[in-house]
Amino acid sequence: MENTFFYNELPRLEHSVSEILDRPHAFKRIPSDWHIVITDIKDSTKAVNEGLSEVVNLIASGSIIAALNIASEAKVDIPFFFGGDGATMIIPLQLLAETMAALVLHQTNVLEEFDLDLRVGNFPVSNIYTALKELKIAKVRMNSLFSIPIILGNGLQFAEDYIKSNYTSLETKSEENAALRLAGMECRWNKIPPPSTSDEVICLLVDALDESKQAMVFKSVLDKIEVIYGSHQKRNPVSIPKLQLNTRLKRIKTELRTRKLDYSLKELFFAWMQTFIGKFWYLTSKSGHKYLTELVQLSDIFVLDGRINMIISGHAEKRKLLLNFLEEEEKTGKLIFGIHISKESIISCYVRNRKADHVHFIDGDAGGYTQAAKVLKRKIIERGRNE
């Protein structure tokens, strides 16, 4: 129990991410008895190309939601990272068995409902350190409502590569208390056009080629993005005027299918009515508008898990300036990057309640993160061949 509340007790830093990257002492080593839990949809590119990008996002979000619901019951805070077609959570040993059991149920449900293969695995943090990889974390306040974990070191990538290359399906643990705990999962918004000040959405992945220089490389990238696109708030692709609820039964059915194997007509009707009434509640009530304001602030558009994962709204001219910078940095061997451009973003949500206890996972349309990762992987392979 000594390390169970490590992330709860980690200080929340008030500085910008760029400033924190300039302060190595701000990062703490994750306890060696914690575990990295990773989910990943196999052949996600194929699924995205078949028009299932929203389903892929919802399944990945469900991985995080299942883990968060278990952690919440134990009053334990855990860091999590959304990746579009998968997710990463770092959890204490106390929660491992229950979390893995829930994720295996999620895996089974996803296969039966959508014929998609969700790979689920875990990796001890101690093995990261044995392999001489680093895994340090800080907790950063992004705004008055939202704090995120940021990671330095290649530990998470090392764990993901190991799990994928040595993957074997997990046997379902038939524990009596095992449950698919996806309460709070919602996916009821239409695709979101960028704010009126923008006309495109960028999904950007940046990897530093030297683990020891990650902080310096990531800081230079974030500083450049700030110069070109403005603040975190200004480049957010989610804005209230562009949010529109989707009341189609097909969308609601997809959400319910992801949450469990069957649902009653009563549950379907209730979910539809809730969504239909919500269209008026958001427009006409103070509490509805407050929720939308919070939704924008609680949108998860920046992830630093040993690699920059970022959603940005802007214009083609700004993108060209960013690409010029990234390509020059890539030529000098400092970093490698993948990028995907779309005209809309996709949102899937975790709503414990509508009073600032919710988080919203954002991806670019047509599998933005998945497509950017495809570009990044190709560059990594090509670089390996040339070395």
Side-chain angles (χ1 to χ4, degrees):
M1 292 288 291
E2 181 181 352
N3 291 320
T4 298
F5 297 97
F6 163 76
Y7 193 64
N8 294 60
E9 296 165 357
L10 196 67
R12 185 176 63 180
L13 305 176
E14 303 290 332
H15 307 284
S16 71
V17 175
S18 182
E19 289 173 319
I20 292 166
L21 287 170
D22 222 9
R23 304 178 182 187
H25 63 275
F27 291 82
K28 307 299 181 185
R29 252 191 166 198
I30 293 174
S32 59
D33 58 352
W34 278 46
H35 281 250
I36 299 163
V37 175
I38 289 174
T39 67
D40 168 71
I41 297 174
K42 187 178 180 181
D43 297 326
S44 56
T45 301
K46 180 174 180 290
V48 165
N49 291 340
E50 291 174 352
L52 297 176
S53 57
E54 289 171 291
V55 173
V56 166
N57 278 184
L58 190 59
I59 292 167
S61 301
S63 304
I64 297 174
I65 292 168
L68 287 179
N69 280 337
I70 291 168
S72 178
E73 288 182 8
K75 295 181 170 51
V76 175
D77 291 341
I78 59 172
F80 58 86
F81 309 90
F82 174 71
D85 60 355
T88 300
M89 292 74 69
I90 312 176
I91 66 173
L93 181 61
Q94 179 194 359
L95 303 181
L96 182 62
E98 190 176 1
T99 300
M100 293 306 294
L103 289 175
V104 168
L105 290 176
H106 185 42
Q107 177 188 56
T108 301
N109 188 45
V110 164
L111 183 62
E112 294 185 7
E113 289 291 330
F114 303 104
D115 196 27
L116 291 173
D117 184 4
L118 179 69
R119 295 180 288 192
V120 177
N122 74 86
F123 195 81
V125 169
S126 59
N127 288 6
I128 298 294
Y129 302 142
T130 300
L132 303 180
K133 301 295 180 180
E134 194 52 87
L135 188 61
K136 292 184 176 180
I137 191 168
K139 188 190 296 182
V140 185
R141 182 177 179 178
M142 300 301 288
N143 54 52
S144 61
L145 298 177
F146 196 37
S147 297
I148 65 168
I150 59 174
I151 294 284
L152 285 180
N154 289 335
L156 296 186
Q157 189 61 50
F158 180 81
E160 181 179 348
D161 291 343
Y162 182 89
I163 289 170
K164 287 182 179 179
S165 60
N166 297 276
Y167 186 74
T168 54
S169 296
L170 298 171
E171 294 294 326
T172 302
K173 305 291 184 182
S174 55
E175 300 177 11
E176 291 184 6
N177 295 327
L180 182 53
R181 303 182 184 186
L182 295 179
M185 171 186 279
E186 292 186 7
C187 182
R188 305 194 186 163
W189 297 100
N190 280 325
K191 294 178 181 179
I192 308 169
S196 57
T197 54
S198 306
D199 59 12
E200 67 178 23
V201 176
I202 295 172
C203 289
L204 176 67
L205 303 181
V206 180
D207 205 354
L209 293 174
D210 185 341
E211 184 184 40
S212 68
K213 296 180 180 177
Q214 278 182 344
M216 179 182 67
V217 171
F218 293 155
K219 175 177 168 52
S220 69
V221 172
L222 294 179
D223 288 345
K224 192 67 175 181
I225 289 172
E226 189 103 355
V227 169
I228 296 172
Y229 286 95
S231 67
H232 182 83
Q233 180 181 354
K234 288 182 179 178
R235 57 182 184 263
N236 192 337
V238 181
S239 63
I240 293 176
K242 302 294 183 175
L243 286 168
Q244 185 175 25
L245 279 171
N246 187 327
T247 56
R248 289 182 303 158
L249 283 175
K250 182 179 178 182
R251 172 65 68 85
I252 297 170
K253 284 180 180 179
T254 298
E255 176 194 312
L256 295 176
R257 286 169 65 198
T258 309
R259 287 172 59 176
K260 58 183 180 180
L261 288 173
D262 56 0
Y263 53 86
S264 66
L265 288 176
K266 181 180 178 181
E267 286 175 300
L268 178 60
F269 178 74
F270 178 78
W272 180 82
M273 279 296 297
Q274 187 183 48
T275 308
F276 182 78
I277 293 171
K279 295 179 73 170
F280 301 96
W281 179 70
Y282 291 132
L283 291 173
T284 60
S285 71
K286 289 183 179 179
S287 56
H289 190 270
K290 180 175 180 290
Y291 175 79
L292 293 182
T293 302
E294 291 171 353
L295 185 156
V296 175
Q297 290 181 275
L298 292 165
S299 291
D300 194 17
I301 61 172
F302 172 70
V303 172
L304 183 54
D305 58 359
R307 172 185 288 168
I308 289 175
N309 308 255
M310 185 181 289
I311 310 290
I312 306 170
S313 66
H315 293 287
E317 293 78 11
K318 294 183 177 180
R319 170 170 39 94
K320 290 174 184 176
L321 292 174
L322 177 60
L323 283 174
N324 287 339
F325 168 77
L326 292 173
E327 287 166 355
E328 284 301 315
E329 296 291 280
E330 195 172 60
K331 286 177 184 177
T332 61
K334 294 179 182 176
L335 58 80
I336 195 167
F337 73 95
I339 193 168
H340 180 262
I341 299 96
S342 59
K343 291 297 182 183
E344 296 171 307
S345 54
I346 297 173
I347 183 170
S348 50
C349 310
Y350 176 42
V351 182
R352 285 184 182 143
N353 63 59
R354 300 189 187 278
K355 296 180 180 179
D357 194 2
H358 43 102
V359 62
H360 306 272
F361 305 102
I362 312 297
D363 195 1
D365 189 21
Y369 273 140
T370 299
Q371 301 291 2
K374 185 179 176 182
V375 174
L376 186 65
K377 289 173 186 175
R378 186 179 68 244
K379 288 183 176 181
I380 291 171
I381 291 170
E382 289 173 353
R383 186 172 180 274
R385 287 173 181 167
N386 294 330
E387 285 184 344

